[in-house]
Amino acid sequence: MARAPRLTESAGAVFAVLAEAGSATRPQLATLAGLSKPTVSSAVAELEGVRLAAHSGTSSGGTGRTAAVYRLGPAAGSVLAVDLGPALTRVRGCALDGTLLAEATGSRAGAADVVREALDALPAAAPLRTIVVAVGDVTTAPGERGTGMRPATAKAGPVFDAVAVALPPGVPVHLENNVNCAALAELHEGAARGRHTFGYLRIGVGIGLGIVVGGRVLRGANGAAGELARLPYPWADGSEPRHEALEDYMGARSLLRRAAEVWQKADGPCPRSTDRLLALARKGSAPARAVLDRHAVDVGRLAAAVIAVLDPGLVVLGGSTGADPRLLPGVRAEVERLSWPTEVVSSTVGDLGTVVGAARLAVARGVQTVTEAARVKD
């Protein structure tokens, strides 16, 4: 990994706002960074000198005057986001202003090849600043390879180890929970845009909750905030709660098992995937609709439990089954029955939510690697 050049503090500040804006004139940079125009002019010249900023044209104002427009330069670099999903691996490479540079999708078993495909598509001249890997498990405090700390839990470890061989050495690798990444995507680009506090409830192969408070993801003392699979279940006389029993009950496998229990020969072939079950429900299949209606009630009860603890004001339903619009009325009805008024909506970023959120996190960390090279004083 190419080291970021040493910058003055003002140049670091201007670089950060230029990355956020994508392109801007010097007067605009001065306003965004809260710096004087002479200081910004000096900072821009410094950034141009080390190819972290580049002139990209001119802009005409209302008085007829023109101003130079700047964007990030070729030395600003790129970042990589990897979503190690339960079935698919999705990878995105982005510039530090968020521009998509490369993407690849493939099977979980071929995760390393998917990563290599995306890496090969990145501009060779752009140094890779950081990598964010999203996994379906609790993640510990952010760490980097080479620090002596294994960057994965036992559950996520094997798949991470399989893909780690494809990651270039010397580049910081950060692990993040996949549901937290999807919550970030909903916050900035999805159903929770403009909201600073909400819960992202994912229902699919497993279950999970992304908690956003004050515009930031709540991780918890152990990085395990939102691990709904750890809720005691079942909780009734004569029943002994089991480890992750709630996830077993709410997950896709149990949903399909319940469908098989009620399916009759006259109903046609029993669905073997949730996608097929949802498709049959959309076509009007009575047993499929009945199974999903029951599932909506269960999801609504889980949402009501989330609301009782967090009072988030908004719950976004995501995941391979949770985001399906067919569940929304039933979930809303159960929440209304059991809890105080809370808006419940379906995800709008869909299956790409995790990799989109991971890419946003990677961009933020990539910008940080450059700006942290700024001196304490100009």
Side-chain angles (χ1 to χ4, degrees):
M1 179 186 72
R3 288 186 175 276
R6 291 283 290 177
L7 300 171
T8 60
E9 188 176 2
S10 57
V14 169
F15 180 85
V17 298
L18 184 58
E20 178 70 22
S23 64
T25 63
R26 280 180 288 184
Q28 289 170 334
L29 289 171
T31 300
L32 292 169
L35 299 172
S36 69
K37 291 181 180 178
T39 299
V40 167
S41 294
S42 176
V44 168
E46 181 183 347
L47 293 172
E48 283 189 290
V50 291
R51 303 174 70 228
L52 289 175
H55 181 260
S56 64
T58 58
S59 175
S60 299
T63 62
R65 295 181 179 180
T66 60
V69 177
Y70 296 90
R71 57 174 173 77
L72 296 186
S78 60
V79 298
L80 198 72
V82 182
D83 169 19
L84 297 178
L88 294 177
T89 298
R90 294 183 172 89
V91 185
R92 283 193 169 192
C94 297
L96 295 196
D97 62 2
T99 301
L100 182 64
L101 300 175
E103 60 182 338
T105 303
S107 70
R108 180 183 174 96
D113 291 333
V114 181
V115 170
R116 292 189 186 98
E117 180 183 343
L119 285 170
D120 289 344
L122 288 175
L128 189 61
R129 298 294 182 191
T130 192
I131 300 168
V132 169
V133 181
V135 296
D137 202 358
V138 175
T139 59
T140 57
E144 298 179 7
R145 290 184 305 171
T147 62
M149 183 175 69
R150 188 168 183 263
T153 64
K155 185 176 179 181
V159 66
F160 178 84
D161 290 343
V163 78
V165 297
L167 302 179
V171 180
V173 178
H174 302 274
L175 209 65
E176 183 54 271
N177 176 265
N178 59 352
V179 179
N180 286 346
C181 288
L184 281 175
E186 296 292 348
L187 171 66
H188 293 286
E189 304 178 36
R193 187 183 301 180
R195 306 289 284 267
H196 299 292
T197 298
F198 69 95
Y200 170 77
L201 180 58
R202 172 173 282 185
I203 308 292
V205 173
I207 60 175
L209 177 68
I211 305 167
V212 176
V213 178
R216 298 173 65 89
V217 171
L218 180 66
R219 297 181 54 84
N222 298 296
E227 283 295 307
L228 299 179
R230 297 299 181 94
L231 285 175
Y233 180 86
W235 201 3
D237 292 341
S239 298
E240 184 70 22
R242 294 181 293 103
H243 185 66
E244 297 189 350
L246 181 59
E247 184 168 71
D248 289 343
Y249 175 75
M250 296 290 296
R253 290 187 182 89
S254 290
L255 179 62
L256 292 174
R257 186 166 58 248
R258 287 192 288 276
E261 289 171 355
V262 300
W263 217 263
Q264 304 294 320
K265 287 185 178 181
D267 300 323
C270 182
R272 298 192 176 187
S273 70
T274 54
D275 285 345
R276 180 58 181 163
L277 179 65
L278 292 167
L280 288 171
R282 286 191 288 271
K283 291 179 180 179
S285 165
R289 295 173 77 171
V291 169
L292 288 176
D293 286 346
R294 174 66 221 184
H295 196 52
V297 171
D298 290 334
V299 174
R301 291 175 180 176
L302 185 57
V306 167
I307 293 165
V309 175
L310 297 179
D311 186 21
L314 171 68
V315 173
V316 179
L317 301 178
S320 55
T321 54
D324 191 277
R326 170 154 188 86
L327 267 67
L328 191 58
V331 175
R332 284 174 169 170
E334 195 68 0
V335 165
E336 183 177 359
R337 186 179 76 85
L338 294 174
S339 192
W340 47 81
T342 301
E343 186 178 2
V344 181
V345 300
S346 298
S347 165
T348 59
V349 294
D351 294 340
L352 294 178
T354 295
V355 74
V356 168
R360 178 170 286 274
L361 184 59
V363 165
R365 291 192 179 279
V367 171
Q368 188 178 18
T369 64
V370 176
T371 58
E372 283 182 346
R375 302 187 185 102
V376 176
K377 292 184 178 181
D378 290 351

